[in-house]
Amino acid sequence: MLLDNVTGDREVQVLNWMLDGKSQRWIGQHMALSATSIKRIKDSIVKQMMA
């Protein structure tokens, strides 16, 4: 399963919130990170799922 390729606590947390329909802005506010940081984490998740 592709989700099993995602490693790292932050990546898993961001992925779960994205699957729950939360926006990057909402996730960033709740993780005390910028929306740009969340985008980088999201991009990392996509790369891990493609590997």
Side-chain angles (χ1 to χ4, degrees):
M1 188 168 179
L2 292 177
L3 298 178
D4 295 334
N5 293 346
V6 178
T7 59
D9 294 337
R10 276 188 174 174
E11 285 87 355
V12 170
Q13 188 174 22
V14 168
L15 178 58
N16 285 328
W17 274 336
M18 289 177 73
L19 291 172
D20 284 344
K22 303 299 184 195
S23 69
Q24 290 181 26
R25 174 184 263 177
W26 186 94
I27 296 168
Q29 288 174 342
H30 284 77
M31 293 182 74
L33 297 170
S34 69
T36 303
S37 294
I38 298 303
K39 183 182 179 329
R40 279 193 218 116
I41 293 170
K42 181 196 69 139
D43 291 344
S44 174
I45 291 167
V46 171
K47 286 179 186 176
Q48 291 176 42
M49 292 177 111
M50 300 298 284

